[in-house]
């Protein structure tokens, strides 16, 4: 039985339509896909963090039965391909000079700069032959000094990773008014300083990265199925910048993607290598990362060392904030890597608190480690962490109540809209109300009694609250395309993409609810460069804000065309026609027409006014946002700690989020819960660690967590 989505589809906890295929094994992930006569690729990765490649001998590997080709840096150099460019939105030093961008080729040429960097790719009949062939490749390395920590990398005399980047510095950055910050500090009664480490993590999505590539000799076109979050932009980079084949010759598709969290957002080496290989051998090539390889080669996140200084008065009034960060980039500029510790971490500095002045500065150096790129928030969580740690530390140092210190300094409603000291347009919000709601939800009044009960058991109890200010990001444009089929189904194609967040359901809710159609009739397409001309993929928390708005805009345009069709039937002007609950009608008359009637009529020329062509309701529309949205909220946690063993029990966790209009409360709840789980994971367990020589010592789930 079909379900007409109620209340325009907005606000209903509709069960996810995609879950049936996921839970019954009918999902279509990269490893589920196979093409006729396909071969397999596998990568030989560097065991050295920094070394010259003095020789590579692949003759024994090529002689192995079933090996089809072996690709090395020499082959890549001879082919004349371009490097993978960074798309960082911050590209200038403080002095106006350009960021230092070394060539980032998909495979090492002459030198390796981190453990796990691709040195060769074997393509063979099956994966077992690939593994055997990798063992036969002889590589001679001349080891070089390595540096893995960003604070060491910028010191005089540190090992130099790239000649173009003195002291290994890719970029420096500042935002805010330093002079105003200094003046605010001079007037304050106290300046509290705290050194922080935001440890390095990796996403560990349930589905490892993978890709499948084919080449059509007759047309000269490639097809790439890729476990990626950003199909259109990555297609352009791979085709135009690296392979130089023209983006019109690369059809890029993401099937079901089992988790991304930013780590599948950028351009990776392996899909490019198999595109080269599939043309070379004249057969499709499939590559799948295993979990151990993922720890070495998936981009990492966070990894910032920071000094935060808070200036405040005796009564607790905040005056100024100064943040100085050194953010690790790894060995190369990843797709947007330099942006995270610079622009990404600066925008929400200060959170929802009032400051006279804020100044943020950052240095982004190279190290002999895996490159870093966005991970779950890409700078905004780093800023929230810095803010709440310094508030709690200041409260402890000055013997103030951390709750009252926050309450006193929240931006009042009457100050909005405002432009923050970081230049962020904060258009709306009620931060004090959200704060009080969070405290009430957490039963703050009963905290003292719970402390006594814990102490009676020899345990410690702690409470923390974090008021966050978010901002969305990613591309400002998104396309939604709708076409109506003869069988009654509605094709919805979007440029935005889901890696498990429920877009297939939420976008269908918007479309079906607005048009008054059955949600089951919506056939959803995403992440396909042939389906939509543009697409921002998934990144910057922009799915509903931009992608959902594109669907809504398209829905509204369809209604306007439907009004013209209805007006033609009713013999009235289109502005006399109203639309609600899936029906066109003329108020005060008995004229009525369903959306389905209008859809059926659109292909009959006799049913259309002169200014409409058949199929006029099949509409594609591009939405472009004016300013980014600024969600906010409050999280509170209560933990019980055993001082004898260090065991931590999260005894309570409470969240109030001000997200504006919620499309599907169940999906929103699930996404918030997932964010909490990942936050707790980093706080309590997860940690990527390199030793001083650049060797990864947390290369498995057992070590990493």
């Amino acid at each position: 039985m079909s379900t007409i989505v109620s209340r325009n589809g907005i606000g209903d906890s509709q069960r996810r339509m995609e879950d049936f295929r996921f839970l019954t094994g009918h999902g279509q992930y990269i490893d589920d896909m196979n093409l006729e006569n396909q071969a397999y690729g596998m990568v030989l990765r560097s065991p050295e963090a920094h070394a010259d490649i003095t020789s590579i001998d692949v003759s024994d590997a090529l002689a192995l039965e079933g090996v089809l080709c072996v690709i090395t840096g020499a082959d890549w150099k001879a082919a004349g391909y371009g490097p993978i460019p960074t798309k960082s939105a911050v590209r200038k030093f403080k002095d106006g000079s350009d960021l230092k961008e070394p060539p980032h080729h998909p495979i090492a040429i002459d030198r390796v700069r981190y453990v796990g960097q691709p040195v060769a790719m074997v393509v063979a009949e099956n994966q077992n032959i690939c593994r055997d062939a990798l063992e036969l490749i002889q590589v001679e390395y001349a080891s070089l000094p390595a540096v893995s920590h960003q604070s060491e990398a910028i010191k005089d005399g540190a090992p130099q990773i790239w000649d173009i980047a003195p002291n290994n510095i890719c970029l420096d950055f500042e935002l805010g008014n330093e002079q105003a910050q200094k003046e605010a500090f001079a007037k304050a009664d106290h300046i509290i300083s705290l050194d922080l480490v935001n440890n390095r993590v990796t996403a560990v999505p349930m589905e490892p990265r993978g890709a499948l590539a084919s080449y059509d000799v007759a047309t000269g076109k490639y097809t790439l199925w890729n476990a990626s979050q950003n199909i259109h932009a990555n297609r352009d980079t791979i085709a135009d910048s690296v392979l130089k084949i023209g983006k019109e010759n690369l059809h890029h598709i993401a099937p079901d993607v089992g988790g991304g969290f930013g780590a599948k957002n950028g351009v990776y080496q392996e899909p490019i290598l198999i595109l080269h290989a599939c043309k070379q051998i004249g057969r499709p090539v499939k590559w799948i990362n295993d979990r151990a390889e993922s720890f070495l080669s998936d981009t990492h996140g966070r990894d910032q060392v920071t000094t935060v200084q808070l200036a405040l008065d005796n009564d607790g009034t905040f005056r100024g904030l100064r943040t100085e960060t050194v953010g690790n980039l790894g060995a190369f500029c990843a797709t947007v890597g330099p942006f995270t510790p610079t622009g990404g971490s600066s925008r929400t500095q200060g959170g929802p608190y009032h400051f006279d002045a804020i100044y943020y500065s950052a240095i982004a150096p190279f190290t002999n480690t895996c490159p870093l790129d966005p991970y779950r928030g890409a700078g905004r969580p780093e800023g929230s962490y810095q803010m709440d740690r310094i508030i709690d530390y200041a409260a402890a140092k000055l013997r103030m109540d951390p709750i009252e210190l926050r309450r006193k300094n929240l931006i009042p409603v009457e100050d909005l809209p405002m432009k923050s000291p970081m230049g962020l347009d904060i258009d709306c919000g009620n931060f004090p109300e959200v704060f009080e709601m969070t405290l009430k939800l957490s039963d703050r009044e009963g905290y003292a009694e719970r402390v006594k009960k814990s102490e009676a058991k020899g345990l410690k109890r702690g409470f923390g609250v974090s008021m966050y200010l978010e901002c969305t990001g990613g591309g400002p444009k998104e396309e939604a395309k709708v076409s109506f089929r003869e069988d009654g189904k509605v094709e919805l194609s979007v440029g935005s993409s889901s890696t498990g967040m429920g877009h297939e359901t939420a976008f269908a809710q918007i479309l079906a609810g607005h048009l008054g159609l059955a949600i089951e009739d919506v056939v959803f397409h995403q992440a396909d460069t042939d389906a939509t001309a543009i697409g921002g993929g998934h990144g910057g928390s922009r799915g509903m804000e931009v992608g959902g708005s594109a669907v809504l805009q398209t829905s509204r345009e369809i209604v306007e065309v439907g009004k013209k069709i209805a007006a033609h039937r009713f013999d009235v002007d289109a502005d006399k026609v109203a639309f609600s609950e899936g029906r066109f009608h003329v108020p005060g008359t008995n004229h009525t027409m369903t959306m389905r009637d209008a859809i059926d009529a659109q292909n009959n020329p006799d049913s259309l006014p002169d200014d409409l062509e058949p199929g006029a309701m099949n509409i594609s529309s591009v939405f472009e946002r004016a300013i980014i949205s600024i969600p906010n909220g409050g999280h509170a946690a209560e933990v019980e700690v055993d001082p004898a063993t260090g065991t931590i029990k999260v005894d309570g966790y409470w969240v109030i989020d001000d997200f504006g209009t919620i499309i599907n409360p169940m999906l929103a709840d699930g996404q918030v819960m997932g964010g909490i789980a990942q936050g707790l994971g980093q706080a309590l367990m997860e940690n990527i660690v390199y030793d001083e020589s650049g060797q990864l010592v947390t290369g498995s789930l057992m070590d990493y967590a």
Side-chain angles (χ1 to χ4, degrees):
M1 179 178 176
S2 295
T3 303
I4 303 297
V5 179
S6 64
R7 296 170 55 217
N8 285 336
I10 306 301
D12 290 346
S13 286
Q14 169 77 31
R15 286 182 177 271
R16 297 197 337 171
M17 297 188 297
E18 54 266 57
D19 282 348
F20 180 81
R21 74 172 187 275
F22 291 157
L23 296 174
T24 57
H26 290 86
Q28 187 76 351
Y29 299 91
I30 289 294
D31 208 24
D32 298 316
M33 302 183 65
N34 295 288
L35 298 177
E36 185 178 355
N37 198 34
Q38 75 185 17
Y40 294 82
M42 199 166 285
V43 175
L44 178 69
R45 301 187 182 277
S46 170
E48 297 266 354
H50 200 195
D52 285 325
I53 301 172
T54 57
S55 68
I56 300 180
D57 185 350
V58 300
S59 57
D60 289 346
L62 282 170
L64 185 66
E65 184 177 353
V67 171
L68 303 172
C69 74
V70 179
I71 304 165
T72 66
D75 301 320
W76 202 258
K77 188 175 181 179
Y81 296 133
I84 304 169
T86 184
K87 298 296 183 70
S88 171
V90 177
R91 308 188 66 85
K92 297 288 185 180
F93 277 76
K94 294 177 186 178
D95 64 8
S97 60
D98 292 333
L99 88 162
K100 309 302 182 185
E101 182 179 2
H104 184 195
H105 290 284
I107 198 163
I109 298 175
D110 301 327
R111 180 175 290 186
V112 293
R113 289 176 169 86
Y114 67 95
V115 172
Q117 185 176 358
V119 172
M121 174 176 268
V122 169
V123 180
E125 295 288 353
N126 59 53
Q127 290 175 317
N128 288 332
I129 296 173
C130 284
R131 291 188 186 93
D132 291 343
L134 291 180
E135 296 288 336
L136 297 175
I137 298 174
Q138 302 296 318
V139 185
E140 296 290 337
Y141 297 98
S143 297
L144 297 169
V147 60
S148 58
H149 195 281
Q150 61 266 48
S151 296
E152 296 298 319
I154 60 177
K155 292 179 179 179
D156 291 338
Q160 187 71 24
I161 300 171
W162 295 102
D163 292 339
I164 64 169
N167 290 99
N168 296 310
I169 297 174
C170 167
L171 187 66
D172 68 17
F173 174 83
E174 64 181 349
L175 187 66
N177 188 325
E178 186 176 20
Q179 183 57 38
Q181 170 260 310
K182 290 180 177 178
E183 291 173 3
F185 272 47
K187 295 175 184 177
D189 295 320
H190 305 280
I191 298 174
I192 306 298
S193 182
L194 178 64
D195 294 329
L196 296 172
V197 174
N198 200 314
N199 63 292
R200 180 186 282 228
V201 292
T202 188
V204 200
M206 186 175 290
E207 177 207 24
R209 292 186 298 112
L212 173 61
S214 69
Y215 175 70
D216 188 327
V217 177
T219 64
K221 294 184 181 294
Y222 297 79
T223 303
L224 177 64
W225 294 267
N226 193 3
S228 171
Q229 297 175 227
N230 206 338
I231 293 302
H232 289 76
N234 290 351
R235 181 270 314 263
D236 296 354
T237 295
I238 293 169
D240 291 342
S241 300
V242 182
L243 296 180
K244 302 176 182 178
I245 57 174
K247 65 182 180 182
E248 68 278 4
N249 292 313
L250 176 57
H251 182 193
H252 199 193
I253 310 161
D256 291 326
V257 177
F261 314 111
K264 291 179 182 174
N265 212 330
V267 175
Y268 280 96
Q269 304 98 317
E270 302 91 351
I272 301 174
L273 292 172
I274 65 170
L275 282 166
H276 167 78
C278 73
K279 181 180 181 180
Q280 183 172 328
I281 68 170
R283 291 170 58 177
V285 179
K286 181 177 181 177
W287 162 83
I288 300 291
N289 229 19
D290 66 27
R291 187 63 70 192
E293 284 185 289
S294 293
F295 276 105
L296 291 170
S297 62
D298 288 5
T299 55
H300 298 162
R302 310 288 191 243
D303 203 2
Q304 296 184 12
V305 292
T306 303
T307 298
V308 189
Q309 291 180 293
L310 172 64
L312 68 168
D313 289 343
N314 287 326
D315 66 356
T317 300
F318 294 167
R319 293 300 177 194
L321 181 70
R322 183 183 182 99
T323 306
E324 298 171 290
T325 286
V326 183
N328 203 333
L329 293 185
F332 295 89
C333 295
T335 302
V336 295
F339 177 74
T340 301
T342 56
S345 296
S346 64
R347 293 178 293 173
T348 53
Q349 284 290 312
Y353 300 100
H354 180 272
F355 284 93
D356 297 336
I358 301 176
Y359 177 72
Y360 179 90
S361 65
I363 297 173
F366 296 112
T367 62
N368 294 114
T369 63
C370 180
L372 286 90
D373 228 5
Y375 167 80
R376 196 87 198 216
R380 288 105 69 193
E382 287 89 326
S384 293
Y385 178 68
Q386 292 155 5
M387 190 72 252
D388 280 295
R389 284 295 307 276
I390 192 63
I391 292 176
D392 283 337
Y393 186 67
K397 291 282 285 186
L398 302 177
R399 300 184 182 276
M400 294 179 176
D401 182 344
I403 302 298
E404 290 302 322
L405 194 55
R406 287 175 168 84
R407 179 179 282 130
K408 181 180 184 65
N409 289 285
L410 287 166
I411 298 170
V413 177
E414 53 267 25
D415 283 5
L416 301 179
M418 64 172 284
K419 188 177 287 289
S420 78
M422 294 285 94
L424 199 63
D425 290 304
I426 307 174
D427 55 338
C428 63
N430 192 329
F431 310 135
E433 181 182 20
V434 171
F435 182 64
E436 300 304 334
M437 291 173 70
T438 306
L439 292 177
K440 183 177 180 181
L441 197 66
S442 66
D443 185 24
R444 179 65 178 163
E445 292 182 358
Y447 175 66
E449 185 61 31
R450 293 192 295 276
V451 169
K452 290 180 182 178
K453 291 182 179 179
S454 294
E455 289 177 344
K457 297 184 291 183
L459 305 176
K460 300 291 186 180
R461 179 172 289 268
F463 175 86
V465 61
S466 172
M467 303 302 298
Y468 73 86
L469 189 71
E470 252 279 19
C471 67
T472 57
K477 294 182 180 181
E478 201 60 89
E479 180 180 8
K481 183 187 296 183
V482 174
S483 59
F484 298 95
R485 301 190 331 203
E486 290 184 2
D487 63 0
K489 297 293 185 181
V490 185
E491 302 268 358
L492 171 61
S493 302
V494 296
S496 178
S497 66
S498 168
T499 59
M501 296 83 69
H503 288 185
E504 187 169 336
T505 299
F507 287 176
Q509 281 183 258
I510 297 170
L511 180 68
H514 196 74
L515 300 183
L517 301 175
I519 191 171
E520 291 88 351
D521 288 341
V522 178
V523 179
F524 183 73
H525 303 285
Q526 65 171 8
D528 186 330
T529 55
D530 280 4
T532 58
I534 67 171
H538 176 66
S541 308
R542 58 186 291 284
M544 285 300 115
E545 179 207 13
V546 188
S549 295
V551 176
L552 180 60
Q553 179 172 286
T554 305
S555 302
R556 288 171 173 166
E557 292 179 15
I558 290 169
V559 168
E560 292 306 307
V561 174
K563 285 181 179 179
K564 291 183 178 182
I565 295 173
H568 181 69
R569 175 178 291 188
F570 302 152
D571 197 22
V572 299
D573 293 334
D575 60 4
K576 303 293 185 183
V577 179
F579 179 78
S580 62
E581 300 297 327
R583 289 182 175 273
F584 299 96
H585 62 281
V586 178
T589 75
N590 61 356
H591 291 315
T592 184
M593 182 182 190
T594 67
M595 173 60 75
R596 184 59 68 184
D597 291 337
I599 294 167
D600 293 340
Q602 74 160 336
N603 293 316
N604 181 1
D606 295 335
S607 300
L608 299 176
D610 293 339
D611 62 341
L612 292 183
E613 298 282 341
M617 296 179 75
N618 298 329
I619 289 177
S620 174
S621 185
V622 175
F623 172 83
E624 183 172 6
R625 67 175 176 221
I627 62 171
I628 61 176
S629 63
I630 314 293
N632 71 92
H635 286 223
E638 201 166 299
V639 300
E640 197 174 52
V641 181
D642 185 340
T645 65
T647 301
I648 299 171
K649 175 187 177 184
V650 180
D651 206 34
Y653 202 103
W654 307 273
V655 184
I656 296 290
D657 288 308
D658 184 0
F659 289 160
T661 301
I662 300 294
I663 309 301
N664 186 319
M666 184 166 58
L667 294 183
D669 287 349
Q671 291 187 31
V672 170
M673 292 174 190
I676 292 167
Q678 284 190 287
L680 289 172
Q682 181 180 359
L684 301 180
M685 295 182 291
E686 301 179 48
N687 199 20
I688 286 285
V689 178
Y690 285 89
D691 67 15
E692 292 181 357
S693 67
Q695 291 293 325
L696 179 65
V697 297
T698 53
S700 71
L701 284 171
M702 182 179 294
D703 299 317
Y704 174 65

